[in-house]
Amino acid sequence: RQHMDTSSLFVEQGAGDPIVFVHGSYATPSTWKKLMERMAPTHHCIAIRLPGHGGLPDPSDFDAPTIEPELAVLEAVVRARTDRPIHLVGHSYGGVVALAQALKGNLPLAELTLFEPVATWVLDAVGDAPMQAQVHTFLKRYRHDAAQGVPDACGQVIDFWGGANDFAALPPHIQQTMATMVGNNLRHWDICTRADHTEADLRRLSVPTRLVCGTRSNDVAHAIVDHLHRLLPHNRRWEIEGASHGLVTSHADACWQAMQQPVSPAQPGA
């Protein structure tokens, strides 16, 4: 196996049981700053940096995107920093990466926590036509506007998942950084919308899993969490009152509290 220099691929703090955090699209490891501060007194917190984010070069697969570059970074960092089973935590696109890693099954996972994973492929796997239609309608406009170079096309993604006008509330320097990452985000959409796994694969995933969403997020985000809650054999679902898609930063205390709670024995559909 080729050795990967992992020094630029993560930030870490704390000591104890390892928790590995995966940020979303249009984001960086700073997404996890508040949660890591709360977890670091008792846990070894490792936040990975995805390809094309935080100064890292883009992956080379834009013509035929797969999630393998993300999984390669995740595996390399985990193997370099700990030899213990990890609690893997993902937000948004990071939740897609974390779920894909759990389904791949080549790292020892003690627990999985998914904050609004944007795994729209789940909608295809279960045949949720109304939610598929919402995604298709959104993506048709977004891809068109991105191709035309429409200013702040990136904001369409933020507002779609947030279910509100969240982009306008972001500081200008963050908006400007996001505007440079549209191509990377479109690659993520290609990955999110391609179903490499089936409903049966999800039913076989035995890792104890927390599924967390905000009450203000859009219907598609809720539908993905609901389907995973129904299918995963060992999971528990939380809703964070008043939170939207940025819940891990806007409602860090409530997210931290959810992460403290055990996943009780199998209760899908409860």
Side-chain angles (χ1 to χ4, degrees):
R1 177 179 295 170
Q2 185 177 4
H3 175 72
M4 180 185 293
D5 177 13
T6 61
S7 57
S8 64
L9 302 180
F10 67 95
V11 296
E12 66 183 338
Q13 67 185 101
D17 292 337
I19 300 186
V20 178
F21 296 91
V22 190
H23 66 77
S25 200
Y26 289 127
T28 69
S30 63
T31 294
W32 303 110
K33 184 174 184 293
K34 294 178 181 179
L35 269 174
M36 287 177 70
E37 287 172 351
R38 288 159 174 78
M39 304 298 288
T42 53
H43 292 79
H44 177 195
C45 298
I46 305 163
I48 73 162
R49 185 175 282 115
L50 292 177
H53 294 69
L56 293 184
D58 285 336
S60 57
D61 67 347
F62 278 75
D63 289 340
T66 77
I67 205 164
E68 290 305 317
E70 284 86 344
L71 297 184
V73 167
L74 177 55
E75 181 182 356
V77 170
V78 169
R79 297 197 187 282
R81 301 310 301 161
T82 184
D83 57 3
R84 299 163 64 179
I86 64 168
H87 179 179
L88 183 57
V89 182
H91 169 242
S92 193
Y93 180 67
V96 179
V97 176
L99 180 58
Q101 180 60 65
L103 289 163
K104 188 172 184 178
N106 66 330
L107 287 177
L109 303 186
E111 302 175 81
L112 185 65
T113 297
L114 305 177
F115 291 102
E116 295 204 1
V118 294
T120 57
W121 65 263
V122 171
L123 306 174
D124 298 328
V126 303
D128 186 342
M131 292 300 121
Q132 287 173 298
Q134 283 199 37
V135 172
H136 176 77
T137 299
F138 165 76
L139 272 180
K140 185 176 180 181
R141 178 195 170 198
Y142 173 52
R143 290 187 192 279
H144 173 270
D145 288 357
Q148 297 297 315
V150 172
D152 292 341
C154 55
Q156 296 177 23
V157 179
I158 306 305
D159 292 344
F160 175 74
W161 289 117
N165 296 315
D166 292 358
F167 182 72
L170 295 173
H173 72 279
I174 291 181
Q175 294 182 2
Q176 291 161 13
T177 300
M178 287 179 172
T180 68
M181 301 177 71
V182 171
N184 209 295
N185 177 256
L186 287 167
R187 174 184 171 273
H188 293 168
W189 275 105
D190 288 341
I191 292 166
C192 292
T193 53
R194 194 184 66 218
D196 289 333
H197 297 281
T198 64
E199 190 172 321
D201 293 330
L202 293 168
R203 291 187 185 278
R204 286 192 292 266
L205 182 61
S206 60
V207 180
T209 303
R210 293 175 191 81
L211 301 166
V212 189
C213 58
T215 58
R216 289 181 48 240
S217 297
N218 81 349
D219 291 344
V220 177
H222 281 243
I224 293 168
V225 165
D226 289 344
H227 290 308
L228 292 174
H229 178 49
R230 178 172 56 84
L231 294 170
L232 297 179
H234 193 179
N235 82 85
R236 187 173 174 187
R237 182 186 188 282
W238 279 266
E239 282 198 3
I240 306 297
E241 185 63 40
S244 184
H245 193 60
L247 70 173
V248 296
T249 51
S250 66
H251 290 68
D253 275 331
C255 291
W256 175 71
Q257 289 164 11
M259 289 177 64
Q260 307 306 301
Q261 303 302 315
V263 181
S264 55
Q267 52 172 352

